């Protein structure tokens, strides 16, 4: 009792925000702090109800209630009233296939020896499936009513039936006889009819008196259902297996709902409210346990106790030696429908749609989970439990924190708190939206979180720097400084794009964007694929390599995997009592960072910025200021792209660049009325549409003269890569991802896979993004000024300055040609108003708006305007209509291209092949990540993009996601890549230790580059040299993909 009071006092001090220094530094306190951090730093009102389990994944696919679950070492099986068995990958929770064969709802599942899956259905049959091939090998029919419970023990299968009997079959004999059937005559699964002939002896072949009864021959045998799908077909001429291996045990007076066994005892729970205890050798009923006031729906057992859940809303705990009730747990408000046990917890589910977690030793309630629907079945595995629910779903619940009792720490798998999913969950919950000033503190919190994470992994040096005042910090970390090892710099970003979400407007999200949500093997949340998921995978790859290094040292020193003799303890990923509540992580200084005795095959530097989604403000300056920290980098590793499809891993070796520009055409100094002024004035909007119509020609080709002149010619090796990709291209799926129907003809400029890839990756393009006129659009107003946003994707060997120069000259020339057209007044239309009336209206408008001048000069004696030193040209044309044009260069990012045959890419391909089992596709992307080329040139290092996510991940979109399999295998790819690079590295000589950036790389202009033309002054001569446009402009207009 005193210990419990002490726990409550400690918990209360945490809940009330007391300084951590006031807490005793005991292991229990440490785990409480870890738990508080795991729950996002939110104080918990009561230790008895703090979060222990959280929903890790929700699996959907059934069309009716999910009734039962079973699992092998690698697969999870679920069955439903929809007569189907769904098969899931147990590691990544991905749907695999559906088993067909039963004709009615399936009520029970069990697995024998990881070899066979047995299913029982309300079609009065059971089926035996091979868990490797997923083929149905045996059908057992002839049951009277449904089978509600299945259990395997030794060679025998026990079935609890609706007819109140417990049936025992020798499953191994049945399977052996089915397997020995001649393959030539076997056109489907073998069929066993338990009514084939009456039994004359106990089927078990064991000594003693058995309560056996022959199955009556008069029981009607249902027609054999037709098998389809994975299990194969079944016909009436399927071979019959002559068997009499059935024993029937009687004793219950109600349906048998549940079966468990331990040592020599078999326990059956029934609708008659009793639990029968059967001797597994003699098959005699030795005891009848009474005490429940309703049906017994569920049983669970360990070596010492039997647990029973009943219709009377209680859970009873029975001693398995005396068969007496030890405790009764109350708290559920409806039938207890399912029970399961972990090493330290009792987990009970009820028709009241809750799940309760109890302390197995103290029998106290620890947690109540709202399950959203009635849980019909559940089972546990290690620190995880699985539930089957009446809402047609399965859910996987993971233990989030170690339990408080020191003696139970060994029973919980190590790393329970600090696994990838939990760290990613905490990371995603930080709303680090760089474009939103109100989220600035969240961005700083994300940076502090990352820095603490680096320290706890074992990075020897960490710091946070700022490139410009008011920008989010950049997190730097370094681990290792061996000149004989390769130095890899990992670039990433922790900031995300906005994800508006509220109760009344979800913004298209199916779940809260900053709450990591698992569904069907995917993790959903803002930033989970761009770029927080890859960051966590990279850091955990490093952590695991360190841990494996320490374990190897222990083994070589004779310490073995257990104990401490002669070995170095594996670094534990834990927190000190000094916890920063803002970041939720350790706030100790570098000098107290965890000392890790393990070592990596490479030196690692990380540079993680917080402004990538907002133009990378201050990044270039910060990189230059910390050039000594980043020095001697050999390889730049980035994981900020995605696969081109869903199934095949890729390596990205090229990115297009981008030149963003705007065109502004202005005319009158105020908006006009389309009814009063329309028809005789040259409208800026019509001029804009006419100019834009000249940009793209037949086949989608850009019409700017010389636009394609500098594009690098393709090579035979490059074309071979496109040919390889074309073989796996699916046009229908490609159209579906674009939102196009199969019937959409002509929506694509080409439907050739090779040409599609080339036009997206290695050819330049031009896109018109938006045209804006009035601030408040109206269908009766002529805008006096129109602005259009345009971007051009550039490729090797184009330069941004050359492309913008050609674009601006072409736009100006087309505008000039348009303005030279003469206005014909000779033949007014039938509805043209009197010119005198128009003059009166214009004079009235001018008098009422004499002070509304926007500085657009329309007089014939106007002078040349001063557009600033960064303008490409400031020229005016002869007076024609009074409309003016201005072309401005905005955000610019250069292209990047690597050699896919280089040593680094060979190492990455080897890692991908080892983990995924296939050779990666070598791809380029149409998007732009200008930091890649900038850092590669700054650090004089070869760059590689190693993508994790699939093409459907939806970065920047609602319901952004990453597949759990990609995240876990991505971590393994990173591990193997670091090892491969470390093995093949040879120190290189550098002409300059650091390639200092050119001035145009890092010095953005203070104002955009502009070409401007006015309609009333003589045109000024054009310069003969192209405009100098910076390769990377740190400007708040982000671009990615």
């Amino acid at each position: 009792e005193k210990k419990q009071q002490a726990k409550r006092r400690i918990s209360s001090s945490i809940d009330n925000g007391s300084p951590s220094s006031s807490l005793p530094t005991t292991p229990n306190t440490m785990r409480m702090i870890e738990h508080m951090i795991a729950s996002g730093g939110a104080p918990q009102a009561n230790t008895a109800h703090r979060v222990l389990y959280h929903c890790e994944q929700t699996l959907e696919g059934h069309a009716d209630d999910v009734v039962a679950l079973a699992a092998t070492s690698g697969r999870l099986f679920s069955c439903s009233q929809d007569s189907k068995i769904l098969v899931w990958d147990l590691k990544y929770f991905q749907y695999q296939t559906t088993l067909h064969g039963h004709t009615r709802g399936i009520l029970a599942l069990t697995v024998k020896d990881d070899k066979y899956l047995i299913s029982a259905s309300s079609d009065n049959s059971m089926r035996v499936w091979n868990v490797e091939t997923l083929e149905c090998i045996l059908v057992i029919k002839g049951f009277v009513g449904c089978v509600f419970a299945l259990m395997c023990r030794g060679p025998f299968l026990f079935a609890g039936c609706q007819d109140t009997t417990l049936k025992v079959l020798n499953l191994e004999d049945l399977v052996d006889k089915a397997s020995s059937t001649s393959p030539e005559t076997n056109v489907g699964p073998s069929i066993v009819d338990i009514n084939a002939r009456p039994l004359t002896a106990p089927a078990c072949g064991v000594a003693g008196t058995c309560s056996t009864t022959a199955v009556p021959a008069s029981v009607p045998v249902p027609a054999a259902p037709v098998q389809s799908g994975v299990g194969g077909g079944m016909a009436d001429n399927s071979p019959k297996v002559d068997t009499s291996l059935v024993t029937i045990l009687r004793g219950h007076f109600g349906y048998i709902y549940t079966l468990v066994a331990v040592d020599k005892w078999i326990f059956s729970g029934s609708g008659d409210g009793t639990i029968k205890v059967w001797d597994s050798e003699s098959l005699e009923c030795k005891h009848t346990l009474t005490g429940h006031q309703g049906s017994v729906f569920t049983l669970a057992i360990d070596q010492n106790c039997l647990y029973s859940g009943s219709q009377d809303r209680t859970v009873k705990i029975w001693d398995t030696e005396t068969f007496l009730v030890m405790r009764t747990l109350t708290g559920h408000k409806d039938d207890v429908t399912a029970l399961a046990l972990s090493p330290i917890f009792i987990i009970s589910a009820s028709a009241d749609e809750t799940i309760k977690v109890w302390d197995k030793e103290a029998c106290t309630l620890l947690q109540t989970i709202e399950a959203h629907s009635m849980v019909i079945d559940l089972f546990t595995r290690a620190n995880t439990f699985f539930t089957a629910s009446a809402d047609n779903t399965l859910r996987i619940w993971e233990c989030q924190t170690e339990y408080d009792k020191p003696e139970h720490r060994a029973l919980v798998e190590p790393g329970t708190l600090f696994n990838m999913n939990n760290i990613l969950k905490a990371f995603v919950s930080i709303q680090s939206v760089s474009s939103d000033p109100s989220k600035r503190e969240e961005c700083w919190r994300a940076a502090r979180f990352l820095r603490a994470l680096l320290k706890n992994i074992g990075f020897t040096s960490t710091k946070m720097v700022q490139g410009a005042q008011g920008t989010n910090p950049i997190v730097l970390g370094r681990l290792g400084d061996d000149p004989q090892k390769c130095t890899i710099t990992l670039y990433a970003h922790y900031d995300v794009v906005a994800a508006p979400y509220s109760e009344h407007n979800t913004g298209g999200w199916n779940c809260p964007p900053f709450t990591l949500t698992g569904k069907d093997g995917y993790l959903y949340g803002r930033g989970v694929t761009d770029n927080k998921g890859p960051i966590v995978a990279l850091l955990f790859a490093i952590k695991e390599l360190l841990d494996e290094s320490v374990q190897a040292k222990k083994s070589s020193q004779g310490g073995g995997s257990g104990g401490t003799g002669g070995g170095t303890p594996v670094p534990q990923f834990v927190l000190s009592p000094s916890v920063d509540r803002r970041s939720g992580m350790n706030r100790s200084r570098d000098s107290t960072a965890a000392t890790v005795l393990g070592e990596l095959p490479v030196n690692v530097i990380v540079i993680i910025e917080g402004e990538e989604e907002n133009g990378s403000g201050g990044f270039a300056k910060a990189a230059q200021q910390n050039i000594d920290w980043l020095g001697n980098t050999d390889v730049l590793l980035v994981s900020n792209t995605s696969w081109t499809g869903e199934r095949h891993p890729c390596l990205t070796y090229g990115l297009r660049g981008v030149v963003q520009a705007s065109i502004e055409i202005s005319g009158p100094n105020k908006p006009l009325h389309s009814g009063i002024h329309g028809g005789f004035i040259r409208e800026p909007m019509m001029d804009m549409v006419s100019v834009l119509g000249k940009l793209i020609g037949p086949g989608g080709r850009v019409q700017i003269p010389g636009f394609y002149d500098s594009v690098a010619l393709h090579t035979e090796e490059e074309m071979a890569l496109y040919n390889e990709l074309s073989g796996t291209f699916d046009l229908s799926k490609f159209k579906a991802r674009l939102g196009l129907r199969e019937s959409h003809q002509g929506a694509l400029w080409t439907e050739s896979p090779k040409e599609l890839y080339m036009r997206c990756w290695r050819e330049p393009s031009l896109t018109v993004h938006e045209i804006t006129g009035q601030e408040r659009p109206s269908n009766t107003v002529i805008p006096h000024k129109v602005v259009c946003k345009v971007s051009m994707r550039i490729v090797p060997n184009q330069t941004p300055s050359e492309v913008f120069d050609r674009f601006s000259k072409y736009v100006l020339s087309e505008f000039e040609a348009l303005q030279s057209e003469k206005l014909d007044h000779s033949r007014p239309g039938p509805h043209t108003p009197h010119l005198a009336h128009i003059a009166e209206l214009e004079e009235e408008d001018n008098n009422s708006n004499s002070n509304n001048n926007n500085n657009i000069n329309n007089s014939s004696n106007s002078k040349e305007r001063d557009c600033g030193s960064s303008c490409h040209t400031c020229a005016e044309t002869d007076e024609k209509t009074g409309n003016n044009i201005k072309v401005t260069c905005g955000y610019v990012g250069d292209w990047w291209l690597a050699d896919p045959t280089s040593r680094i890419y060979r190492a990455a391909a080897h890692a991908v092949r080892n983990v995924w089992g296939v050779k990666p596709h070598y791809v380029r992307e149409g998007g732009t990540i200008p930091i890649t080329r900038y850092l590669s040139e700054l650090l004089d290092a070869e760059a590689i993009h190693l993508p994790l996510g699939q093409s459907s991940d939806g970065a920047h979109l609602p319901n952004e996601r990453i597949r759990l399999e990609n995240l876990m295998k991505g971590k393994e790819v990173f591990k193997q890549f670091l090892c491969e690079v470390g093995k093949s590295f040879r120190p290189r000589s550098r002409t300059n230790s650091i390639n200092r950036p050119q001035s145009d790389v890092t010095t953005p202009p203070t104002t955009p580059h502009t070409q401007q033309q006015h309609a009333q002054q003589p045109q000024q001569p054009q310069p003969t040299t192209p405009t100098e446009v910076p390769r990377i402009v740190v400007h708040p207009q982000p671009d990615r993909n």
Side-chain angles (χ1 to χ4, degrees), residues 39 73 211 357 376 379 408 498 548 557 638 660 715 771 1006 1040:
S39 58
S73 58
S211 174
V357 181
I376 302 174
F379 76 92
H408 286 153
E548 290 167 8
Q557 293 172 1
V638 185
Q660 293 182 352
T715 64
I771 304 173
T1006 56
R1040 180 189 182 275

Side-chain angles (χ1 to χ4, degrees), residues 498-663:
Y501 181 88
S502 67
E503 226 177 281
H504 306 293
N505 182 11
T506 63
W509 284 84
N510 297 328
C511 60
F514 295 102
T515 300
L516 191 67
T517 304
K519 182 180 178 183
D520 295 335
Y522 285 86
L523 300 174
Y524 290 81
R526 174 56 83 225
V528 74
T529 192
D530 180 24
N531 191 226
K532 292 182 176 181
I535 289 174
V536 172
L538 272 165
L539 295 183
F540 268 80
I542 294 169
K543 175 187 181 297
E544 291 184 9
L545 285 174
L546 288 171
D547 290 351
E548 290 167 8
S549 170
V550 172
Q551 291 285 14
K553 284 188 175 183
K554 287 178 60 177
S555 299
S556 65
Q557 293 172 1
S561 58
T564 59
T568 304
V570 178
Q572 294 299 310
F573 198 27
V574 297
L575 303 178
S576 75
S578 179
V579 175
D580 189 333
R581 289 178 179 268
R582 294 175 295 176
S583 66
M585 297 292 286
N586 194 330
R587 63 170 180 240
S588 58
R589 300 181 182 273
D590 279 350
S591 59
T592 59
T595 302
V596 180
L597 298 182
E599 59 183 40
L600 297 177
V602 294
N603 305 316
V604 173
I605 301 171
V606 297
I607 177 167
I608 308 176
E609 68 159 312
E611 293 281 356
E612 195 270 351
E613 305 290 7
N614 197 32
S616 294
F619 180 84
K621 182 178 179 182
Q624 293 178 68
Q625 290 175 343
N626 292 275
I627 202 70
D628 293 337
W629 182 288
L630 303 171
N632 298 321
T633 294
D634 299 292
V635 178
L636 173 66
L637 174 60
V638 185
S639 182
N640 201 21
T641 54
S642 61
W643 296 355
T644 57
E646 301 299 297
R647 293 291 174 188
H648 205 104
C650 301
L651 293 177
T652 304
Y653 70 94
L655 298 165
R656 290 196 294 188
V658 67
V659 176
Q660 293 182 352
S662 65
I663 305 172

